[in-house]
Amino acid sequence: MSTKDASARRARAPQSEPMRADAGAPAARRRRGWWNLPIINRRSWTWRDANRVVRAGEWYQNAVIYQIAPWGFQDTDGDGRGDLPGIIRRLDYITSLGVDAIWLTPIFPSPMHDMGYDVSGTRDIGRTFGTMADFERLLTLVHQRGMKLILDMVWNHTSKDHAWFRESRSSRTNDKADWYVWADPAEDGGPPNNWPSVLTGESGWCFDDMRGQYYFSNFLQSQPDLNWHNEAVRAEILDIARYWLDLGIDGMRLDAVNFFCHDALLRDNPLRGEDDGHADGIDPDNPAAAQVFCNSFCREETFEMLRPLRRLADEYPGVVLLGEVTLCEDSIEEAARYTRGRDRLHLSYNSGLLFKEPMTATRLRALIEKASAAYGEGGTCWIVGNHDYGRMRSLWAGAEQEDADAFFKMMSAVLLSLPGALCLWQGDELGLDEARIPEDIAPEQLQDPFGRMLYPRLNGRDGSRTPMPWDDERTACDFSDDADRLWLPIPEQHRARSVARQTGDPDSVLNVWRTLLHWRIGQPALQAGAVEFAELESPILGLIREYGEQRLLCLFNISAERRSVDLSAFSGVVPAHGLGFASDWDERARSVTLPPWGVFMADLRSAGEMRRMHGSAQAAPAAASSSS
């Protein structure tokens, strides 16, 4: 696409909302940044899908994506909420982690009733976060450090404060009358059907006196759903996407993508029967869980409507579309459908790992096998901690272990050994636990509207959203220099896990993540490799990742007991060193002993490679201690 074409497209784009006078340097909007021009010598690799078809690889297919909620990362203006200049201040820290990309939760204008997921403007930066100039500076600095920047796009709904909704509700005949999901009351004057809000479980319909109709919201009443059956809505969303892509972003995370479409006939959701099982991603105590999700969302029409967006994204080299598909009947199966073929999304994440029960090798293998089969053609993305789903430390009953840090260090190695991309939530690299309510956050301090409505039956999402603890010896852990009150309090127990305290400790959770992330960058098998399982008995999980000349063995002892593993079936085992995991490798016996929650990484070499490395006449040592 030429510069002239890009400018012409923007000139034709409908201007349905005013631009602020300080909305950034005009020149940046008249040209595509150098980072989105065709790349010579771009990172290139190939991979084989489940059908053994060789495909070209892209950076995002095995990327580690660091999710940042700006309001909880770093405050620079003293209002107690984080901002874009705060992320710029901490860019060197993010770079030190070794991640591939940054995903920012919404940074657009918003009344902030739902932490930015209630958008009231789409082509600007919200004052809470900074200015367009701040954003463009951040984007340039991220690219200069060799990372990518992904923006969170909220296209299922808007805020009630959005100019689109104000016009839509003003009459039944205005230009945007059909931009939202409107319906007449039922015969009894009540809601048109039984569709619930998935957040509250109550009816998702809200009566509007001005228009005399109900509008629908899958989430909060302040977040009316857009009508994706309206072609004008879809065209406007494409123009918004092009606007941000022209500014140089590297991808878009699509919030609640499986919610975009509803049944145009407004048919009831069927009630859940005994044979329907439990839906993924929703609390069983939520009244909405009593329905099968098939008419209010999770519609087949969505796939057709995503095609133009994929075609647009493919005009920009290396851009990724990442979808959130966590609330549905089967998260892995449904998320995989959103990446099937070449006219949907590039990646989608699922809720397969978001469970509280104890982690076992058998369960983990079953999950990996299910995801590999479902995603087949690629597109896998794993997620653990999240702004909606708590922290990694609340999962898998790991916090109940005698040595919880060892357990979660082991799980970090597992996550970075899986095929596909991984989203890492800010603070999970520190091993933070969820803030407790009311011990750490008093009920009157809750910010999450979902939490405020349902407490004490449900605690909501604030427990995983507390500010980052940078330096426990500074005021407010150096999150804010002079704010009188932070937007959420920092739990006292987080001070011991501050960045400053962990940085100087080689054995800290933070430095294990750093070590693994940087090591992973240099392992072709982890960057692009196929996966198979080593046939080992539980509690040992064995993965073999292979790409090119590298064949990497990844062993995990998912138990609190020492375990010995016979590796005589492998012709050559060369242990990896310096990863921070101790193990006892006996080369003569061809076995390794793993401590509780132990990890062992090793290259598997052919006999010829082993002879070249050691010499055919060299005697093997009786035993050696390996620190993977």
Side-chain angles (χ1 to χ4, degrees), residues 91-111:
L91 268 182
D92 287 345
Y93 168 78
I94 301 168
T95 305
S96 79
L97 296 176
V99 297
D100 299 284
I102 296 170
W103 150 25
L104 298 182
T105 59
I107 55 175
F108 313 111
S110 166

Side-chain angles (χ1 to χ4, degrees), residues 149-167:
L149 188 65
I150 297 170
L151 289 190
D152 209 324
M153 297 297 180
V154 188
W155 291 334
N156 172 73
H157 53 268
T158 70
S159 166
K160 283 182 66 176
D161 294 345
H162 201 295
W164 300 347
F165 186 73
R166 290 199 300 269
E167 181 176 352

Side-chain angles (χ1 to χ4, degrees), residues 174-205:
N174 65 77
D175 289 344
K176 292 183 174 57
D178 195 34
W179 276 43
Y180 292 84
V181 183
W182 292 99
D184 291 327
E187 291 183 2
D188 63 0
N193 60 28
N194 71 347
W195 294 354
S197 158
V198 295
L199 285 185
T200 67
E202 299 174 354
S203 176
W205 293 97

